[in-house]
Amino acid sequence: MSTTTQTHTQSEVRKFATTNDERPVPRGDTKSKLTFYAPPADGSKPWNYVETPPAGSPQRNYGEDEHEVTIHDVRGREADFNINTNGFGVLQNIRSEMSYEQWEDESRVKETYYAEVEKLLLDNVPGAKQIFIFDHTIRRSAQGAKRAPVNRAHIDQTTASAEARVHHHMQSSAPELLRGRVRLINVWRPLNGTVYTNPLAYADSRSVPDNDIVGVEHRYPDRTGETAGVKYTEQGQWHYWSGMGNEERILLQCYDSQDGARTPHSAFQDPRTAGEGWKGRESVEVRALVFG
Ligand code: OGA
Ligand code: FE
């Protein structure tokens, strides 16, 4: 018997990674540990370094508080949720011109995908008149990836940092825009087909009181922003969307100057896909200021 070594070109390997969806998708409610915020033991103001901290400093000065929570599947109940009431919403059957290979191409993402997201937000966020997309993050659960899923309950912005963003990006039109309604919405999708591992969980905004949301200094090399840590609350109602696919989008509202819904969120390890052989999750989130 002769043996042949099978080789794949880079693009064949990638193609395989995007279509390895033959496993059955675990559906329905699941349970997982989530990591919540615990205040610094010494009572000081919480902070964390986005990149490598200065020599001798820890990455963050606050603690962790793990709790197992039930995470409810929104699959089949998509229409029951919207950003204004719940802080999150889900959209189906969304076409994109982006191919798997193009996500590494920054200018392609900005030209093609940002335009798609802008249209999506104008079409799906009631009252939205103007969109400014300020960044995106690609995450991969594979070891060594530049950015990994975030296994920590948080909200990307606080009132202070959302308003600072408006000034930073909108410059002289900021004061006028801040007199109207400002929302900050992340649009999240997988890149490599069905999400099996490290899905995203999001809490119903109404189930997490303001008292449990704590501003954390977010120290970049060149400036300091603010995100929010989320304390554990028994009332917290957490959700995920089983087997989310490339043509589906989650809208995560992080700030709304008018009605105030904001959704705590975190990646989680689903015990049903914790074993060997499950494809890693790859995703992109686009962050947008939504005016009007
Ligand atoms: C986000 C976010 C984490 C993840 O989209 O804002 O926190 O693991 N994502 O995808
Ligand atoms: Fe986030």
Side-chain angles (χ1 to χ4, degrees):
M1 211 170 85
S2 72
T3 53
T4 53
T5 309
Q6 243 198 315
T7 56
H8 295 276
T9 65
Q10 192 61 16
S11 79
E12 282 172 326
V13 171
R14 289 205 176 136
K15 208 158 164 204
F16 182 71
T18 64
T19 55
N20 183 15
D21 281 357
E22 70 281 5
R23 289 196 173 200
V25 175
R27 302 274 183 204
D29 297 357
T30 186
K31 278 184 184 217
S32 178
K33 273 196 180 140
L34 295 186
T35 300
F36 294 89
Y37 170 88
D42 63 1
S44 58
K45 264 178 60 109
W47 46 257
N48 102 88
Y49 284 97
V50 180
E51 295 182 9
T52 311
S57 165
Q59 193 76 35
R60 58 180 61 82
N61 72 336
Y62 58 92
E64 297 182 341
D65 184 23
E66 279 200 344
H67 287 267
E68 186 173 73
V69 300
T70 298
I71 306 175
H72 304 279
D73 190 2
V74 305
R75 180 72 59 193
R77 302 182 293 140
E78 286 81 3
D80 294 354
F81 303 92
N82 69 78
I83 49 169
N84 212 48
T85 306
N86 312 95
F88 69 89
V90 298
L91 298 170
Q92 293 180 283
N93 303 315
I94 309 297
R95 291 274 173 75
S96 175
E97 294 297 313
M98 295 294 293
S99 68
Y100 183 70
E101 285 72 20
Q102 290 170 341
W103 290 102
E104 292 305 320
D105 179 347
E106 283 269 326
S107 58
R108 180 71 183 193
V109 173
K110 288 185 175 156
E111 274 158 38
T112 304
Y113 193 58
Y114 281 22
E116 292 176 2
V117 169
E118 177 174 356
K119 182 171 185 321
L120 179 107
L121 290 168
L122 288 171
D123 290 349
N124 290 284
V125 177
K129 291 191 184 62
Q130 185 185 342
I131 310 294
F132 183 86
I133 294 175
F134 57 87
D135 70 18
H136 72 279
T137 305
I138 291 174
R139 301 183 191 279
R140 297 190 155 94
S141 32
Q143 276 213 324
K146 245 191 308 187
R147 303 288 293 266
V150 180
N151 291 300
R152 183 181 295 279
H154 70 279
I155 304 176
D156 297 17
Q157 314 281 337
T158 62
T159 300
S161 55
E163 289 179 356
R165 281 259 171 219
V166 177
H167 284 288
H168 182 71
H169 298 296
M170 309 311 285
Q171 304 279 314
S172 63
S173 50
E176 177 63 25
L177 288 166
L178 284 164
R179 278 192 281 279
R181 187 177 193 176
V182 179
R183 285 170 276 194
L184 219 149
I185 299 173
N186 295 0
V187 179
W188 193 102
R189 59 160 288 187
L191 303 181
N192 62 336
T194 311
V195 176
Y196 293 100
T197 61
N198 288 115
L200 199 66
Y202 15 93
D204 191 310
S205 178
R206 299 166 303 178
S207 71
V208 181
D210 283 341
N211 282 345
D212 291 326
I213 295 174
V214 182
V216 174
E217 260 185 31
H218 202 55
R219 299 179 175 174
Y220 297 94
D222 55 334
R223 65 182 192 92
T224 296
E226 191 179 55
T227 63
V230 178
K231 290 188 195 163
Y232 173 70
T233 167
E234 267 180 25
Q235 301 155 242
Q237 289 285 324
W238 289 86
H239 302 274
Y240 82 111
W241 202 10
S242 66
M244 189 178 175
N246 279 0
E247 297 194 348
E248 299 184 319
R249 306 284 181 273
I250 303 169
L251 305 188
L252 298 169
Q253 184 165 271
C254 290
Y255 174 72
D256 177 8
S257 65
Q258 184 173 297
D259 291 343
R262 74 295 179 254
T263 186
H265 51 277
S266 175
F268 68 99
Q269 196 184 64
D270 189 334
R272 300 168 302 182
T273 58
E276 288 292 301
W278 294 94
K279 180 184 70 173
R281 177 252 278 191
E282 302 181 20
S283 63
V284 62
E285 73 231 29
V286 167
R287 296 189 175 75
L289 287 163
V290 178
F291 300 105

